[in-house]
Amino acid sequence: MSAEEPFHVWECELCSYVYDEAKGAPEDGLPPGTRWRDVPETWSCPDCGAAKTDFVMRKVG
């Protein structure tokens, strides 16, 4: 992984919750800078409970 790799934003297709890699989800044990690939497969959307597979990457900017 390159230090230049940009952070991405992932959105729940069911409720539109946004997971921003740069911000992480500290309240769910995911510190800022946690890449989506490093989010456990067992993690679920904190708003609606959707599976990690129900998220899609969104373009930033």
Side-chain angles (χ1 to χ4, degrees):
M1 175 175 72
S2 167
E4 302 289 324
E5 183 180 348
F7 287 111
H8 296 98
V9 173
W10 295 80
E11 183 178 352
C12 178
E13 291 188 296
L14 303 180
C15 75
S16 299
Y17 169 85
V18 173
Y19 176 79
D20 183 333
E21 292 179 331
K23 295 178 182 176
E27 63 282 356
D28 292 320
L30 302 171
T34 301
R35 300 289 182 170
W36 187 247
R37 67 178 165 261
D38 297 324
V39 173
E41 292 300 320
T42 56
W43 182 83
S44 59
C45 178
D47 285 354
C48 75
K52 184 179 171 185
T53 55
D54 290 317
F55 281 71
V56 293
M57 187 171 51
R58 296 290 183 215
K59 291 191 178 191
V60 178

